[in-house]
Amino acid sequence: MFNINDISDAVRRGERITAEEALVLWREAPLWLLGELATERKRSASGQSVYYNRNVHLEPTNICLFNCEFCSFRRREGDADAWYMTLDQIEARAMELRGTDITEVHIVGGVHPKHDLDMYCAMIRRVKRALPNVTVKAYTAVEIFYMIRNEGVSIVEGLRRLKEAGMECIPGGGAEIFDAALRKKICPEKCSAEEWLAVHRAAHNMGIATNCTMLYGHIETLEQRVDHLERLRKLQDEAPGFDAFIPLKYHSRGNRMSEAGECSVEDDLRTIAISRIFLDNIPHIKAYWVSYGRATTEMALMFGADDIDGTIGDTTKIYSMAGGVARPTMGVDELEVMVVSAGFSPVERDSHYNVVERSAERVEELRSEEYVAEEQEVVDADEECVEEHQEVEEIMQKKTNTIAAPKRRRASTKKEGFFRRIMNFYKRYPIISHIILIGIFGVLLLVGVYVGLKRGTRLGAAIEVPNMLGMNVEEARDMAASEDFRIIVRDSVFDVDLPGGTIVDQLPRTSAVRNVTVKPGRKIYVTINAYNRRMVDVPFVAKQTLRQALNQISRSGLGVAKLVYEPDMTSTDYVLRQYVDGKEIMPYSSLRAPIGTDVTLAVSYQQGQEQVYVPRLVGLALQQAKNSLWDSGLNVGKVVYDDSIEDIVSQRKAVVYRQATAIGTSVHRGDEVTLYLSCDERLIDSMNRVATRELRDFEEQRRKALLEPADSLTTDIIL
Ligand code: V47
């Protein structure tokens, strides 16, 4: 059947099409028809839903044994921009993600010459240890085949060990194009198509879900694309287990196939539509927004895609290094706007396409810094208490075996006797019994309404968090004891001018103009000025994102002297180098410095990414304002205190009441913003109201801009 009308009728009837028919559609069907047919198929597969998830990628290294023609990510060991994360660094990265709302970590990287199966398992274990409730989707079949072959075990045994380590599903990478001749040209060292398929087949047979991909838009023919899809469909028929197919558009920057150029958006849409129509046994088609950009992704939803992947949080470089989206990060609101704009309903999913339900309360809790800090404390406590817990568990186990069983039996016989007496009373006095029952029901109803109201409105359950900046931690503890909250020292810094034990920061933060309430008994986390100027390790933060680097620096008790921005071909907001006292720090430097030492960071930016917006600083304490500026890619200019500041302690309590550059102004990365601080509450209060209005106007403008689908939208900062 090679007539467009016949083929489209067959598609509409829900019938499977052949490879030849797919080729006819691909070549001859008008774009609108492909959109219509694919959307019909999409609707019967997933209705009105379009899925997204909250995820991050972890790319432990870009050092790779293989040297594929299309790859812009791969580096050799010793190259200046090669990176490598140790197990400790991997775990530290995962720890940073505790308390966030991600549901998946996608691990994939170069095939490192020194990594063996144990190492790959250890990486998963480290991530799972830090994030036990998050799904690890790990390693392409290419990496898996390599590690398994080197280990000399069967695919099943290798997968069993990975699964035991915590791998729950397998991403779809490494498939590229199955055609043997072409595979030999573009990725000759990678495992063959048959080997790739064998890994996925074995995974499916073991109940491990996987994804599949196709790298298209380079030098392949349409016949080779269809052949690729056909092999995937065949495997899915024989051993179902693919959750999603992801057509990956080839990006041409920075690799040896650049001359091939990139395919058109029309080709992208046709590819997505044919995939949806042809792969009738694969439940989901993913339009990976990191590869397509926002506008094409939105259109892809009208050509059969029902998944756009996730929030990413600027954690993958495979695409940015090849010319895809530069700093891939998307908020849930942005993902949802994209789906709604295409006329579908956004649905958050987990790695297995289960719908993630989040209560409003839980979302609020996850968003609050307080919760993040609390989670961190739980981690520390977990580690300290592991042995203690084991002991307690053993004792409890013994107790349960010896005492609990007879006790339960006694309780149940008592219960039965009581129940019988009630039934006898009911039979003898039915009217009285009913009156009593109505009474009990009424009382229960009243209690229920009262408890419900109390919970819903949190009646009487809130206490105001005091501003403790500048206070001594012991004084704060006394106050906490009388006001029913707890003080936890989370961190220490060192300031020669301040007495030891002075509180310099607190979470939740509060100020003269921002009241925060918490439930009684909650913890307030404080950072204090250390009693002694201890030495700390200076972490090596080059090759990390700026945000990761800032986190690590602050956790080490160090500060930032300056961010020096430098143009870069491939990345924005990555730390290129770091200096202490003008001396460059190298990975092997093992430098220790007095707590509070400032580190200078050389940070990258790509052409076109020079501008950032000035965040709101009014209402923040100095350290908070500094953090906010650095996070936004800016530097702290002059710090000017007004007359209300009398001494060093009041300096610590001071709040920004004016910022020299207004909220939302577009400035050059690395620019300085001068801050004006005061302790005068009335002044702060009135300036704060002005700032709130400015911020609202700015957010309104951004919201409007976001609703306009444009690939060029800037999401550099979240105020
Ligand atoms: O296998 C590499 C591709 C893949 C380029 O399973 C390139 O949910 C375009 O597989 N231009 C890795 N593509 C990424 C991947 C993936 C991504 C998102 C989600 C999932 C999933 C899987 O990236 C590689 C290769 O096919 N790739 N270089 C390039 N220059």
Side-chain angles (χ1 to χ4, degrees):
M1 185 198 308
F2 295 124
N3 168 307
I4 293 278
N5 289 336
D6 293 345
I7 302 172
S8 37
D9 285 348
V11 172
R12 288 204 164 99
R13 287 193 301 273
E15 287 166 19
R16 175 169 278 198
I17 61 167
T18 63
E20 293 74 22
E21 287 164 345
L23 270 173
V24 174
L25 277 189
W26 215 318
R27 292 209 172 98
E28 294 172 27
L31 193 58
W32 65 263
L33 177 62
L34 284 182
E36 211 174 276
L37 296 177
T39 303
E40 276 179 34
R41 282 275 166 110
K42 179 245 166 285
R43 284 196 193 282
S44 59
S46 52
Q48 181 63 12
S49 305
V50 168
Y51 298 93
Y52 68 86
N53 68 346
R54 302 188 198 223
N55 62 347
V56 293
H57 286 226
L58 183 70
E59 291 167 351
T61 182
N62 62 347
I63 298 169
C64 189
L65 271 177
F66 303 152
N67 195 2
C68 305
E69 299 289 309
F70 55 79
C71 184
S72 318
F73 174 82
R74 180 257 184 189
R75 292 292 179 273
R76 277 188 308 253
E77 211 165 0
D79 281 351
D81 48 357
W83 73 78
Y84 180 84
M85 290 169 83
T86 62
L87 285 176
D88 285 345
Q89 285 168 333
I90 289 171
E91 188 165 356
R93 170 73 190 114
M95 289 297 281
E96 283 172 13
L97 297 164
R98 280 187 77 128
T100 62
D101 43 16
I102 55 155
T103 57
E104 179 183 279
V105 176
H106 175 157
I107 313 179
V108 63
V111 176
H112 193 279
K114 295 196 185 106
H115 282 184
D116 58 9
L117 182 58
D118 282 342
M119 177 66 180
Y120 280 106
C121 289
M123 288 197 256
I124 298 174
R125 277 202 194 93
R126 292 293 193 104
V127 172
K128 284 299 277 189
R129 189 157 83 175
L131 299 165
N133 299 322
V134 166
T135 298
V136 171
K137 178 163 99 182
Y139 312 132
T140 64
V142 170
E143 290 164 286
I144 294 177
F145 187 79
Y146 169 82
M147 65 181 91
I148 286 176
R149 195 189 49 193
N150 273 6
E151 193 73 11
V153 295
S154 68
I155 294 180
V156 170
E157 171 58 13
L159 289 175
R160 192 196 60 73
R161 278 162 63 177
L162 288 165
K163 188 176 174 184
E164 192 184 75
M167 177 197 76
E168 259 184 62
C169 44
I170 296 176
E176 322 313 358
I177 276 283
F178 289 148
D179 181 89
L182 187 51
R183 205 171 173 81
K184 209 166 164 194
K185 266 195 197 149
I186 66 171
C187 49
E189 295 137 315
K190 273 191 174 154
C191 66
S192 67
E194 291 69 28
E195 289 161 342
W196 189 97
L197 290 163
V199 171
H200 283 261
R201 181 189 297 274
H204 296 178
N205 288 336
M206 292 169 71
I208 302 169
T210 77
N211 285 341
C212 50
T213 59
M214 171 176 74
L215 183 68
Y216 73 93
H218 40 93
I219 52 171
E220 84 290 359
T221 61
L222 286 188
E223 284 80 358
Q224 285 164 335
R225 288 191 202 178
V226 173
D227 166 65
H228 188 97
L229 297 183
E230 199 172 24
R231 295 202 212 185
L232 292 174
R233 188 168 78 175
K234 188 161 174 281
L235 174 61
Q236 181 76 342
D237 277 343
E238 291 164 2
F242 286 132
D243 272 343
F245 170 69
I246 308 133
L248 292 172
K249 177 196 181 94
Y250 163 69
H251 285 273
S252 63
R253 195 198 291 167
N255 56 61
R256 293 194 306 284
M257 266 168 46
S258 296
E259 274 182 16
E262 288 179 16
C263 68
S264 64
V265 172
E266 184 183 344
D267 196 358
D268 295 330
L269 300 177
R270 298 181 90 81
T271 307
I272 288 163
I274 299 285
S275 310
R276 177 60 294 165
I277 295 166
F278 189 79
L279 297 173
D280 55 357
N281 53 359
I282 298 188
H284 305 284
I285 303 291
K286 186 189 284 187
Y288 184 41
W289 73 262
V290 175
S291 162
Y292 286 134
R294 288 170 172 80
T296 307
T297 305
E298 197 179 307
M299 280 192 281
L301 299 180
M302 294 167 229
F303 285 79
D306 71 341
D307 187 354
I308 52 179
D309 207 73
T311 47
I312 307 283
D314 192 13
T315 51
T316 172
K317 297 204 85 185
I318 297 181
Y319 279 83
S320 49
M321 287 168 88
V325 173
R327 286 178 56 205
T329 288
M330 246 208 246
V332 162
D333 339 11
E334 291 171 272
L335 290 166
E336 293 195 342
V337 164
M338 211 152 57
V339 174
V340 171
S341 310
F344 293 97
S345 311
V347 175
E348 185 185 345
R349 64 162 175 89
D350 65 12
S351 308
H352 307 288
Y353 287 85
N354 299 310
V355 176
V356 174
E357 308 273 8
R358 289 177 194 271
S359 70
E361 227 180 21
R362 169 84 180 138
V363 171
E364 269 311 302
E365 201 174 31
L366 279 165
R367 280 188 186 150
S368 84
E369 291 165 316
E370 189 187 0
Y371 180 79
V372 173
E374 200 165 307
E375 281 278 280
Q376 184 57 49
E377 210 219 2
V378 173
V379 181
D380 299 342
D382 275 348
E383 274 163 11
E384 278 168 25
C385 296
V386 132
E387 283 170 17
E388 198 180 316
H389 278 184
Q390 274 166 358
E391 263 177 51
V392 173
E393 288 266 289
E394 275 170 29
I395 295 167
M396 290 302 287
Q397 189 67 40
K398 279 185 203 146
K399 276 195 176 159
T400 322
N401 292 344
T402 52
I403 314 168
K407 235 188 182 170
R408 257 203 304 273
R409 265 200 303 278
R410 273 204 304 277
S412 67
T413 34
K414 256 189 184 174
K415 239 191 251 163
E416 278 160 25
F418 178 67
F419 185 70
R420 208 174 300 123
R421 279 204 298 278
I422 287 189
M423 287 313 287
N424 288 343
F425 182 86
Y426 179 80
K427 278 181 201 149
R428 284 180 67 183
Y429 310 108
I431 297 180
I432 299 178
S433 299
H434 278 125
I435 293 170
I436 293 174
L437 275 178
I438 290 169
I440 292 174
F441 182 73
V443 170
L444 284 178
L445 192 71
L446 282 176
V447 170
V449 168
Y450 176 75
V451 171
L453 273 177
K454 203 169 172 190
R455 278 191 147 202
T457 58
R458 293 170 180 256
L459 212 64
I463 55 166
E464 205 166 288
V465 176
N467 181 358
M468 296 178 291
L469 299 188
M471 205 181 252
N472 179 279
V473 65
E474 293 311 324
E475 268 177 62
R477 282 209 166 104
D478 290 345
M479 181 166 85
S482 63
E483 295 195 14
D484 201 10
F485 59 86
R486 286 166 60 201
I487 299 286
I488 308 284
V489 176
R490 191 176 69 118
D491 216 343
S492 66
V493 293
F494 190 81
D495 184 334
V496 264
D497 299 323
L498 273 182
T502 308
I503 295 177
V504 294
D505 198 6
Q506 68 177 70
L507 274 178
R509 291 177 181 127
T510 178
S511 70
V513 290
R514 183 174 170 257
N515 290 340
V516 177
T517 51
V518 292
K519 281 180 269 169
R522 283 308 271 275
K523 296 163 197 148
I524 313 283
Y525 297 87
V526 297
T527 304
I528 61 167
N529 195 40
Y531 290 90
N532 300 308
R533 191 161 201 197
R534 61 188 161 90
M535 300 295 281
V536 293
D537 290 327
V538 179
F540 179 69
V541 293
K543 317 277 183 276
Q544 297 191 11
T545 63
L546 176 60
R547 197 156 286 172
Q548 290 165 342
L550 291 172
N551 268 339
Q552 251 194 287
I553 287 174
S554 127
R555 268 190 286 125
S556 308
L558 303 169
V560 174
K562 198 173 167 117
L563 305 181
V564 182
Y565 271 90
E566 292 181 10
D568 185 63
M569 294 291 282
T570 54
S571 69
T572 300
D573 269 344
Y574 268 75
V575 176
L576 301 171
R577 292 177 306 284
Q578 68 187 100
Y579 301 87
V580 169
D581 293 334
K583 222 178 113 222
E584 186 173 353
I585 308 298
M586 305 308 253
Y588 44 81
S589 294
S590 308
L591 183 72
R592 284 173 70 74
I595 188 168
T597 299
D598 286 337
V599 182
T600 296
L601 300 177
V603 189
S604 66
Y605 75 91
Q606 265 176 305
Q607 209 185 5
Q609 302 272 325
E610 295 84 355
Q611 299 301 113
V612 289
Y613 296 118
V614 176
R616 177 202 181 136
L617 305 162
V618 172
L620 302 181
L622 180 59
Q623 190 58 47
Q624 297 166 341
K626 283 182 177 179
N627 292 345
S628 181
L629 281 170
W630 294 326
D631 262 353
S632 307
L634 295 167
N635 276 303
V636 184
K638 274 196 222 123
V639 175
V640 185
Y641 292 99
D642 77 354
D643 299 342
S644 63
I645 316 269
E646 292 151 3
D647 53 19
I648 186 80
V649 172
S650 61
Q651 219 177 63
R652 280 285 179 173
K653 283 186 179 171
V655 170
V656 177
Y657 69 94
R658 189 161 96 78
Q659 53 191 90
T661 323
I663 299 171
T665 310
S666 172
V667 292
H668 200 284
R669 279 177 198 279
D671 278 1
E672 292 182 352
V673 177
T674 295
L675 303 172
Y676 297 85
L677 285 99
S678 172
C679 276
D680 179 342
E681 293 192 7
R682 282 181 53 196
L683 172 68
I684 297 165
D685 197 16
S686 69
M687 297 303 276
N688 208 37
R689 276 200 296 271
V690 176
T692 304
R693 266 200 308 276
E694 281 176 17
L695 179 61
R696 211 179 301 131
D697 292 348
F698 176 64
E699 280 175 344
E700 181 60 19
Q701 278 172 18
R702 277 197 78 210
R703 203 182 58 77
K704 280 192 191 138
L706 268 177
L707 287 172
E708 289 160 18
D711 274 345
S712 58
L713 282 177
T714 313
T715 52
D716 284 328
I717 58 155
I718 293 164
L719 289 174

